[in-house]
Amino acid sequence: MLPLLSKRFSQLKSILIATFCLSLTYEILQLLFELGSFDTDDLILNTLGGVIGYLPIKLFYIVFKKNGTIHSQAKGQ
């Protein structure tokens, strides 16, 4: 959802970093508050899930921008 909210997250690298940091934050909070266990697998799989979720959004933008059906509202559309 991040690419839909901000152009800052339009590249794969930024999505990878953001999902890793968010997942790491959750894992650290679980460790500190003893609500679960810190699991490296969760960290890896959550980051991978964020990247996999990014791919359909990127594909959507590529297909519709190629067809010329996506218009920026900043251009007065």
Side-chain angles (χ1 to χ4, degrees):
M1 297 301 291
L2 289 174
L4 299 175
L5 298 174
S6 174
K7 287 191 179 265
R8 191 168 135 195
F9 296 104
S10 64
Q11 295 181 350
L12 182 62
K13 182 179 177 182
S14 60
I15 292 295
L16 185 70
I17 292 169
T19 55
F20 177 79
C21 289
L22 183 63
S23 184
L24 182 63
T25 301
Y26 286 144
E27 292 298 320
I28 289 173
L29 288 174
Q30 282 182 353
L31 182 66
L32 292 176
F33 292 114
E34 298 176 0
L35 295 172
S37 62
F38 186 95
D39 193 12
T40 315
D41 291 341
D42 286 345
L43 188 62
I44 294 167
L45 292 173
N46 289 340
T47 304
L48 182 63
V51 171
I52 290 172
Y54 166 78
L55 296 177
I57 293 172
K58 188 66 173 179
L59 181 64
F60 174 82
Y61 276 119
I62 290 171
V63 168
F64 285 102
K65 193 168 188 170
K66 183 178 179 182
N67 292 338
T69 55
I70 292 180
H71 301 288
S72 174
Q73 290 186 6
K75 292 181 181 178
Q77 293 287 340

